[in-house]
Amino acid sequence: MSIYPDMFLTFAKVGVMTFGGGYAMLPILQREVVDSKGWATEEELMDYFAIGQCTPGIIAVNTATFIGQKNRGVLGGIVATLGLVFPSLVIISLLAGVIEAFSHLEWIQHAFGGVRVCVCILILNAVMKLLKKAVIDVPTALIFALVALGSFFLSGISPVYYVLAAAAAGIVLKNLGVKK
């Protein structure tokens, strides 16, 4: 199969199976893009996700664009992005006309409640996988602890500042020669 249709269909599969936004998409991206297709390594996927978090736009879309561009240039980025958003566009277009008519039903509200709980678990699984790969030594554990504490106690600060501070801390600790 040509790479472009394969890329479109792979990202469409990711897009149709994801509920709850970019963070919930991480385990599916891991399975499809890293494990199945080999289009990125786990470390690259984490980097793309981090960059996607602090750039304008939707994390998942940004990540798909990075992966597509890495593998097939600008056209690959466009194809991956279109593949990712296509299922959502179709589903949202279909639901937009009928959701208001049914959103008051109790069983619909309960279904959405169940989906929200499931998304929390998917996000937790993604975080645990990332944590095992990202916190590999004392400097990264220190950065993790400081960012975690900052985000818990200073919730009004944009995540961009945490990403930038963590990047700066990584550079400083590496240049200071802090050992693993």
Side-chain angles (χ1 to χ4, degrees):
M1 176 180 263
S2 172
I3 186 69
Y4 295 110
D6 187 31
M7 189 174 284
F8 181 89
L9 292 173
T10 298
F11 280 98
K13 180 179 175 183
V14 171
V16 81
M17 294 188 320
T18 302
F19 295 89
Y23 295 110
M25 187 176 284
L26 191 56
I28 300 167
L29 277 171
Q30 167 78 30
R31 184 180 68 240
E32 293 297 323
V33 173
V34 175
D35 299 337
S36 178
K37 301 293 183 180
W39 290 336
T41 65
E42 288 184 27
E43 291 77 17
E44 288 173 327
L45 184 60
M46 286 191 298
D47 291 344
Y48 296 152
F49 229 69
I51 295 167
Q53 172 71 37
C54 59
T55 53
I58 301 166
I59 299 168
V61 172
N62 294 348
T63 303
T65 306
F66 292 142
I67 292 168
Q69 193 279 332
K70 174 199 177 238
N71 286 281
R72 287 293 185 256
V74 173
L75 183 57
I78 293 169
V79 168
T81 301
L82 290 175
L84 185 79
V85 301
F86 181 74
S88 296
L89 290 174
V90 171
I91 292 168
I92 289 170
S93 295
L94 295 173
L95 287 177
V98 297
I99 193 118
E100 191 64 34
F102 298 106
S103 64
H104 69 282
L105 297 175
E106 189 173 339
W107 68 274
I108 295 288
Q109 293 172 1
H110 292 308
F112 284 139
V115 169
R116 283 190 297 271
V117 170
C118 180
V119 167
C120 289
I121 295 301
L122 292 174
I123 292 169
L124 180 62
N125 285 338
V127 167
M128 296 310 292
K129 282 185 179 181
L130 284 172
L131 191 62
K132 290 176 186 175
K133 295 287 184 179
V135 180
I136 55 172
D137 53 20
V138 172
T140 55
L142 179 62
I143 293 168
F144 173 81
L146 291 173
V147 171
L149 288 171
S151 67
F152 292 143
F153 294 111
L154 304 170
S155 61
I157 295 177
S158 170
V160 172
Y161 295 119
Y162 291 118
V163 172
L164 293 174
I171 292 168
V172 168
L173 291 173
K174 178 67 175 174
N175 286 332
L176 290 176
V178 175
K179 302 286 185 202
K180 290 184 177 184

